[in-house]
Amino acid sequence: MRILHTMLRVGDLDRSIKFYTEALGMRVLRKSENTEYRYTLAFLGYDDEDKSAVLELTYNWGVTEYELGTAYGHIAIGTDDIYATCEKVRSAGGKVTREPGPVKGGTTVIAFVEDPDGYKVEFIENKSAKAGLGN
């Protein structure tokens, strides 16, 4: 078995697609609309779905925001240059909520940003991503 995708409900599909493609470098893999049940799905990722886990962005027509709740944590993305990645997010109008630096009690360099709907995205430097946080 493997993880296929993570679904996020978004309030503005075009705004979210712009963030994930322009600020985070993903590409739109496919989109579909269901007119009967009034929703649109967009699947985004860094590689094809048969090779990599992807994001499913779900836009329920007419719903512009969601209560995020307290159970959701974040999406983690590995990056070669965490500082440049945060700057790219910032220059694209994104919000960096934790500047790059070592995780508390460890040496792994991480940072956090928020997508347009407030979902947290963690960046982890690729050179230490496999070692695990705190190592």
Side-chain angles (χ1 to χ4, degrees):
M1 289 190 272
R2 69 180 183 90
I3 295 173
L4 299 176
H5 65 260
T6 298
M7 186 271 272
L8 300 175
R9 289 183 176 89
V10 299
D12 181 327
L13 187 60
D14 292 333
R15 177 188 68 188
S16 293
I17 288 173
K18 181 177 179 176
F19 176 80
Y20 285 98
T21 57
E22 293 181 12
L24 300 188
M26 292 183 186
R27 62 186 170 92
V28 176
L29 303 171
R30 62 187 167 100
K31 282 177 73 174
S32 65
E33 284 191 357
N34 185 307
T35 55
E36 181 181 359
Y37 293 102
R38 301 179 41 82
Y39 67 83
T40 304
L41 306 177
F43 291 81
L44 290 80
Y46 294 109
D47 205 344
D48 294 333
E49 292 176 78
D50 62 340
K51 298 177 185 140
S52 177
V54 301
L55 287 181
E56 173 192 336
L57 302 180
T58 299
Y59 172 64
N60 293 296
W61 300 358
V63 180
T64 59
E65 63 183 273
Y66 291 91
E67 186 175 315
L68 298 184
T70 58
Y72 174 80
H74 61 268
I75 301 164
I77 297 175
T79 179
D80 289 333
D81 185 341
I82 199 166
Y83 299 94
T85 302
C86 284
E87 190 50 44
K88 184 175 181 181
V89 168
R90 195 181 336 274
S91 65
K95 183 178 178 183
V96 177
T97 59
R98 184 204 191 272
E99 294 294 331
V103 66
K104 291 180 182 177
T107 58
T108 302
V109 178
I110 66 169
F112 277 90
V113 300
E114 286 184 0
D115 83 352
D117 289 280
Y119 291 109
K120 303 267 191 276
V121 178
E122 177 185 25
F123 296 133
I124 303 173
E125 282 191 330
N126 281 332
K127 66 182 177 185
S128 57
K130 290 183 181 179
L133 293 179
N135 295 324

